[in-house]
Amino acid sequence: MAIIEYKGFGGFRLSVDVLGDENDPAVLLLPEPGQGREVWRAAAEALVLSGRRVVNVEPRARAAEVGDIAAHVEDLRAILAQMGSRPVVATARRGGWVATQALAPDGAHLAAGLILVDMPVSDEAVASAPRLALPTLVVRGGFSPAECTAASDAFAAALPIGESADIEDRDLAFAVDRNEALLGQLLEFLERRQPREAMEFKAGSDPRTLRDAMGCFATGITIVTALDASGAPAGLTANSFTSVSLDPPLLLVCIANTSGTAPILRDAVHFGVNVLQIGQQPASNRFASRGGDRFANLPWAPGETGVPLLGGSLVSFECQRESLHEAGDHFILVGRVVRAQFEPHRDPLLYFRGKYRRLHFA
Ligand SMILES: Cc1cc2nc3c(=O)[nH]c(=O)nc-3n(C[C@H](O)[C@H](O)[C@H](O)COP(=O)(O)O)c2cc1C
């Protein structure tokens, strides 16, 4: 067993037990606020025996901080962001408040799944539930038959069942050996949602697995911009960028037909492709989420062709539309580069397996 430290919210140092082989898929065990990692120790050992790498977190414990759910939420997000792969997060009771809030906005980027055991209901958890877009197992009665059964109903009712998240609900109220039943549920969920064997996508199977396969190709990130018919700037985050030809100078991006920016890009004679540097992660998030003025408080200026170019980008390409090709649920926008401004001393913002990354130099 190794003990390592992660930097949590406000620089707080969080100590974490790490057990198992580093090549095995990871499970992050999160004790509820006020409890220590020993509560998960037996489960941790059983998970390691079944071929999992286990990261068992010691939550911040000073009395004043125990009740501060927001600090625990930020701690969990900080740990997940620092981990090399997306673990399944397993937690119990009020730990579920922390995990649901931490994973509601963009959980699929941070974790491969979520297991909530006997979570008491809270307004915040119910409010987070509709935004949970990752495989989730809700277990009731994991510790005692009556625990949380009624309270979890409001949470379960708010979950987006059958939509973006894949939610499963288990009731262990009548289990004979509760510990064994709970562990069995955890292992079975992990085996299906985070298999130890190589993953496989076959034509016709779920798009999520295909997305995971595609996500094994590391990319940079761009923001593709254009002016709409009224002359207002528009844009979206896209990592489907490729250089196509040097002579003539061509590049491409693939745009989802469902995106709000798609009609603007379909009509645009000119568009911009801004390749992001490491400091532009907030802009990447903003141009990938719905709502709000994406250009507010951002340094941008029209280029020679009028397209919005984001200041401080690694490269900004100004393109004239060369061609547009329909391709399934996306279209391929090919642009002829009329101008490129770049600042090669900056580090790129990278994306790999659903997470932002940065360059490592040995
Ligand atoms: C890292 C990352 C890469 C993305 N790449 C693409 C892409 O290549 N093409 C695309 O259409 N959407 C891509 N998206 C999704 C869009 O940015 C997202 O759906 C956005 O909300 C679309 O905004 P809109 O509907 O206002 O156009 C990506 C999102 C992220 C976070």
Side-chain angles (χ1 to χ4, degrees):
M1 183 180 75
I3 297 179
I4 58 171
E5 280 191 346
Y6 284 106
K7 217 183 244 173
F9 179 58
F12 190 87
R13 287 147 87 104
L14 292 149
S15 147
V16 159
D17 285 351
V18 181
L19 301 90
D21 188 320
E22 64 175 335
N23 295 314
D24 285 334
V27 181
L28 183 145
L29 300 175
L30 181 72
E32 69 173 317
Q35 290 203 313
R37 60 189 152 198
E38 64 285 347
V39 296
W40 280 108
R41 205 151 271 158
E45 282 161 15
L47 288 168
V48 169
L49 288 176
S50 70
R52 304 281 154 183
R53 178 173 170 79
V54 173
V55 173
N56 193 4
V57 178
E58 181 71 25
R60 57 174 69 213
R62 275 183 279 147
E65 291 164 334
V66 165
D68 182 358
I69 294 293
H72 292 277
V73 168
E74 293 309 321
D75 284 348
L76 176 57
R77 287 182 62 84
I79 293 174
L80 291 170
Q82 289 163 70
M83 285 179 68
S85 64
R86 289 181 309 151
V88 168
V89 175
T91 188
R93 297 182 173 137
R94 291 183 309 142
W97 298 356
V98 177
T100 49
Q101 285 177 60
L103 295 175
D106 52 0
H109 292 161
L110 294 171
L114 172 63
I115 300 174
L116 302 168
V117 183
D118 291 349
M119 185 179 70
V121 84
S122 74
D123 290 346
E124 290 79 10
V126 172
S128 305
R131 291 182 291 137
L132 277 177
L134 74 172
T136 301
L137 172 67
V138 179
V139 180
R140 306 151 188 236
F143 300 117
S144 68
E147 195 157 11
C148 306
T149 299
S152 298
D153 282 345
F155 178 72
L159 287 165
I161 293 181
E163 294 169 28
S164 45
D166 232 329
I167 311 290
E168 301 171 38
D169 196 353
R170 298 279 182 278
D171 195 339
L172 302 184
F174 301 107
V176 180
D177 182 334
R178 204 160 297 285
N179 280 342
E180 196 157 307
L182 179 57
L183 192 59
Q185 290 298 335
L186 301 194
L187 292 176
E188 200 247 349
F189 178 80
L190 292 170
E191 218 41 65
R192 278 183 296 109
R193 298 304 186 169
Q194 195 196 34
R196 301 198 57 238
E197 305 303 320
M199 307 269 287
E200 187 180 33
F201 171 82
K202 280 199 177 148
S205 48
D206 66 313
R208 173 74 224 191
T209 311
L210 178 61
R211 217 161 112 184
D212 287 349
M214 299 291 189
C216 294
F217 183 62
T219 66
I221 301 191
T222 73
I223 292 178
V224 182
T225 54
L227 295 177
D228 71 10
S230 71
L236 84 171
T237 301
N239 68 343
S240 57
F241 166 80
T242 302
S243 146
V244 174
S245 160
L246 288 178
D247 188 13
L250 300 178
L251 57 75
L252 69 77
V253 284
C254 302
I255 305 297
N257 290 323
T258 50
S259 86
T261 316
I264 298 166
L265 289 171
R266 275 183 182 277
D267 287 348
V269 176
H270 293 103
F271 63 94
V273 179
N274 302 274
V275 177
L276 303 190
Q277 44 89 6
I278 200 78
Q280 290 174 305
Q281 187 173 326
S284 172
N285 286 333
R286 196 195 292 183
F287 280 76
S289 347
R290 291 271 155 105
D293 177 358
R294 291 178 173 171
F295 288 84
N297 305 319
L298 265 194
W300 70 274
E304 280 178 3
T305 60
V307 297
L309 301 178
L310 301 183
S313 301
L314 196 53
V315 197
S316 287
F317 295 100
E318 262 181 271
C319 304
Q320 181 171 350
R321 210 233 334 254
E322 176 80 5
S323 57
L324 191 152
H325 310 265
E326 302 298 335
D329 54 12
H330 282 58
F331 61 90
I332 304 167
L333 186 56
V334 179
R336 182 183 283 249
V337 180
V338 293
R339 185 162 168 247
Q341 292 168 276
F342 54 110
E343 300 196 33
H345 56 276
R346 294 184 187 265
D347 268 5
L349 179 63
L350 303 179
Y351 200 67
F352 175 59
R353 287 190 20 217
K355 284 172 75 165
Y356 292 112
R357 316 278 178 157
R358 59 187 310 158
L359 285 178
H360 287 279
F361 294 104

Short mmCIF file of all heavy atoms in Angstrom, two decimals, residues 116-118 138-145 147-154 156-157 169-173 178:
data_model
loop_
_atom_site.label_atom_id
_atom_site.label_comp_id
_atom_site.label_asym_id
_atom_site.label_seq_id
_atom_site.Cartn_x
_atom_site.Cartn_y
_atom_site.Cartn_z
N LEU A 116 -23.59 5.13 -5.12
CA LEU A 116 -24.09 5.85 -3.95
C LEU A 116 -24.81 4.86 -3.04
O LEU A 116 -25.82 4.28 -3.44
CB LEU A 116 -25.08 6.93 -4.39
CG LEU A 116 -24.56 7.97 -5.39
CD1 LEU A 116 -25.72 8.78 -5.96
CD2 LEU A 116 -23.55 8.88 -4.70
N VAL A 117 -24.29 4.67 -1.84
CA VAL A 117 -24.92 3.72 -0.92
C VAL A 117 -25.63 4.49 0.19
O VAL A 117 -25.01 5.34 0.85
CB VAL A 117 -23.86 2.78 -0.30
CG1 VAL A 117 -24.52 1.73 0.59
CG2 VAL A 117 -23.04 2.11 -1.40
N ASP A 118 -26.89 4.23 0.37
CA ASP A 118 -27.67 4.80 1.48
C ASP A 118 -27.51 6.31 1.61
O ASP A 118 -27.25 6.83 2.70
CB ASP A 118 -27.27 4.14 2.81
CG ASP A 118 -27.71 2.68 2.86
OD1 ASP A 118 -28.49 2.28 1.98
OD2 ASP A 118 -27.30 1.97 3.78
N VAL A 138 -27.39 3.28 -7.54
CA VAL A 138 -27.93 3.76 -6.27
C VAL A 138 -28.32 2.53 -5.45
O VAL A 138 -29.17 1.75 -5.88
CB VAL A 138 -29.18 4.65 -6.50
CG1 VAL A 138 -29.76 5.13 -5.18
CG2 VAL A 138 -28.83 5.82 -7.41
N VAL A 139 -27.66 2.34 -4.30
CA VAL A 139 -27.96 1.18 -3.46
C VAL A 139 -28.68 1.67 -2.22
O VAL A 139 -28.22 2.61 -1.56
CB VAL A 139 -26.67 0.44 -3.04
CG1 VAL A 139 -27.01 -0.77 -2.17
CG2 VAL A 139 -25.88 0.01 -4.26
N ARG A 140 -29.80 1.04 -1.91
CA ARG A 140 -30.51 1.39 -0.67
C ARG A 140 -30.44 0.21 0.27
O ARG A 140 -30.48 -0.94 -0.17
CB ARG A 140 -31.97 1.68 -0.95
CG ARG A 140 -32.22 2.71 -2.00
CD ARG A 140 -33.53 2.35 -2.62
NE ARG A 140 -33.84 3.15 -3.78
CZ ARG A 140 -34.95 3.86 -3.87
NH1 ARG A 140 -35.80 3.91 -2.88
NH2 ARG A 140 -35.19 4.52 -4.96
N GLY A 141 -30.37 0.52 1.56
CA GLY A 141 -30.33 -0.55 2.55
C GLY A 141 -29.00 -1.29 2.54
O GLY A 141 -28.94 -2.47 2.87
N GLY A 142 -27.92 -0.62 2.15
CA GLY A 142 -26.61 -1.27 2.11
C GLY A 142 -26.07 -1.53 3.50
O GLY A 142 -25.30 -2.46 3.72
N PHE A 143 -26.48 -0.71 4.47
CA PHE A 143 -25.97 -0.87 5.83
C PHE A 143 -27.03 -1.35 6.80
O PHE A 143 -26.75 -2.10 7.73
CB PHE A 143 -25.37 0.46 6.34
CG PHE A 143 -24.23 0.91 5.48
CD1 PHE A 143 -24.30 2.10 4.78
CD2 PHE A 143 -23.09 0.14 5.35
CE1 PHE A 143 -23.26 2.50 3.97
CE2 PHE A 143 -22.04 0.53 4.54
CZ PHE A 143 -22.12 1.72 3.85
N SER A 144 -28.26 -0.90 6.64
CA SER A 144 -29.34 -1.41 7.47
C SER A 144 -30.61 -1.38 6.62
O SER A 144 -30.72 -0.58 5.70
CB SER A 144 -29.51 -0.55 8.74
OG SER A 144 -29.97 0.71 8.37
N PRO A 145 -31.57 -2.29 6.93
CA PRO A 145 -32.70 -2.47 6.01
C PRO A 145 -33.47 -1.19 5.75
O PRO A 145 -33.87 -0.90 4.61
CB PRO A 145 -33.58 -3.50 6.69
CG PRO A 145 -32.92 -3.88 7.96
CD PRO A 145 -31.63 -3.16 8.08
N GLU A 147 -32.48 1.89 6.09
CA GLU A 147 -31.75 3.12 5.87
C GLU A 147 -32.03 3.76 4.51
O GLU A 147 -31.86 3.14 3.47
CB GLU A 147 -30.24 2.89 6.02
CG GLU A 147 -29.50 4.19 6.15
CD GLU A 147 -28.15 4.03 6.85
OE1 GLU A 147 -27.70 2.91 7.04
OE2 GLU A 147 -27.57 5.06 7.19
N CYS A 148 -32.44 4.97 4.59
CA CYS A 148 -32.54 5.83 3.41
C CYS A 148 -33.51 5.36 2.35
O CYS A 148 -33.54 5.90 1.26
CB CYS A 148 -31.18 5.97 2.75
SG CYS A 148 -29.98 6.53 3.90
N THR A 149 -34.28 4.33 2.61
CA THR A 149 -35.13 3.81 1.54
C THR A 149 -36.13 4.87 1.08
O THR A 149 -36.19 5.20 -0.10
CB THR A 149 -35.85 2.54 2.00
OG1 THR A 149 -34.83 1.61 2.31
CG2 THR A 149 -36.72 1.98 0.90
N ALA A 150 -36.82 5.45 2.06
CA ALA A 150 -37.81 6.45 1.68
C ALA A 150 -37.12 7.71 1.17
O ALA A 150 -37.50 8.27 0.14
CB ALA A 150 -38.70 6.79 2.87
N ALA A 151 -36.04 8.10 1.90
CA ALA A 151 -35.38 9.36 1.55
C ALA A 151 -34.79 9.31 0.16
O ALA A 151 -34.79 10.30 -0.56
CB ALA A 151 -34.28 9.66 2.57
N SER A 152 -34.30 8.15 -0.26
CA SER A 152 -33.66 8.07 -1.57
C SER A 152 -34.65 8.19 -2.71
O SER A 152 -34.26 8.42 -3.86
CB SER A 152 -32.92 6.74 -1.73
OG SER A 152 -31.91 6.65 -0.77
N ASP A 153 -35.92 7.99 -2.41
CA ASP A 153 -36.91 8.01 -3.48
C ASP A 153 -36.92 9.35 -4.22
O ASP A 153 -36.99 9.38 -5.45
CB ASP A 153 -38.31 7.73 -2.93
CG ASP A 153 -38.50 6.25 -2.66
OD1 ASP A 153 -37.66 5.45 -3.17
OD2 ASP A 153 -39.44 5.89 -1.95
N ALA A 154 -36.83 10.45 -3.45
CA ALA A 154 -36.88 11.77 -4.09
C ALA A 154 -35.67 11.94 -5.00
O ALA A 154 -35.79 12.48 -6.11
CB ALA A 154 -36.87 12.87 -3.02
N ALA A 156 -33.88 9.40 -6.41
CA ALA A 156 -34.02 8.48 -7.54
C ALA A 156 -35.01 9.04 -8.56
O ALA A 156 -34.80 8.94 -9.77
CB ALA A 156 -34.46 7.11 -7.05
N ALA A 157 -36.07 9.68 -8.05
CA ALA A 157 -37.09 10.21 -8.97
C ALA A 157 -36.52 11.34 -9.81
O ALA A 157 -36.99 11.58 -10.93
CB ALA A 157 -38.29 10.70 -8.18
N ASP A 169 -30.75 0.98 -9.84
CA ASP A 169 -31.25 1.18 -8.49
C ASP A 169 -31.37 -0.20 -7.84
O ASP A 169 -32.02 -1.08 -8.41
CB ASP A 169 -32.63 1.84 -8.65
CG ASP A 169 -33.11 2.45 -7.36
OD1 ASP A 169 -32.45 2.27 -6.34
OD2 ASP A 169 -34.17 3.12 -7.41
N ARG A 170 -30.71 -0.43 -6.70
CA ARG A 170 -30.80 -1.74 -6.04
C ARG A 170 -31.30 -1.55 -4.61
O ARG A 170 -30.83 -0.64 -3.91
CB ARG A 170 -29.43 -2.43 -5.97
CG ARG A 170 -28.82 -2.71 -7.31
CD ARG A 170 -29.37 -3.98 -7.94
NE ARG A 170 -28.72 -4.24 -9.20
CZ ARG A 170 -29.03 -3.66 -10.36
NH1 ARG A 170 -30.03 -2.81 -10.42
NH2 ARG A 170 -28.37 -3.92 -11.46
N ASP A 171 -32.17 -2.42 -4.20
CA ASP A 171 -32.68 -2.36 -2.83
C ASP A 171 -32.23 -3.62 -2.10
O ASP A 171 -32.60 -4.73 -2.50
CB ASP A 171 -34.21 -2.28 -2.88
CG ASP A 171 -34.77 -1.85 -1.55
OD1 ASP A 171 -34.05 -2.01 -0.53
OD2 ASP A 171 -35.91 -1.35 -1.52
N LEU A 172 -31.41 -3.44 -1.05
CA LEU A 172 -30.89 -4.61 -0.33
C LEU A 172 -31.65 -4.83 0.98
O LEU A 172 -31.14 -5.48 1.91
CB LEU A 172 -29.39 -4.42 -0.04
CG LEU A 172 -28.51 -4.20 -1.27
CD1 LEU A 172 -27.05 -4.12 -0.87
CD2 LEU A 172 -28.70 -5.31 -2.29
N ALA A 173 -32.84 -4.26 1.08
CA ALA A 173 -33.59 -4.33 2.35
C ALA A 173 -33.75 -5.76 2.84
O ALA A 173 -33.73 -6.01 4.04
CB ALA A 173 -34.96 -3.67 2.16
N ARG A 178 -25.75 -8.56 4.66
CA ARG A 178 -25.75 -7.24 4.05
C ARG A 178 -24.37 -6.87 3.44
O ARG A 178 -24.29 -6.35 2.34
CB ARG A 178 -26.15 -6.22 5.12
CG ARG A 178 -26.74 -4.94 4.61
CD ARG A 178 -27.51 -4.25 5.70
NE ARG A 178 -28.63 -5.06 6.10
CZ ARG A 178 -29.74 -5.20 5.37
NH1 ARG A 178 -29.87 -4.56 4.23
NH2 ARG A 178 -30.72 -5.97 5.79
#
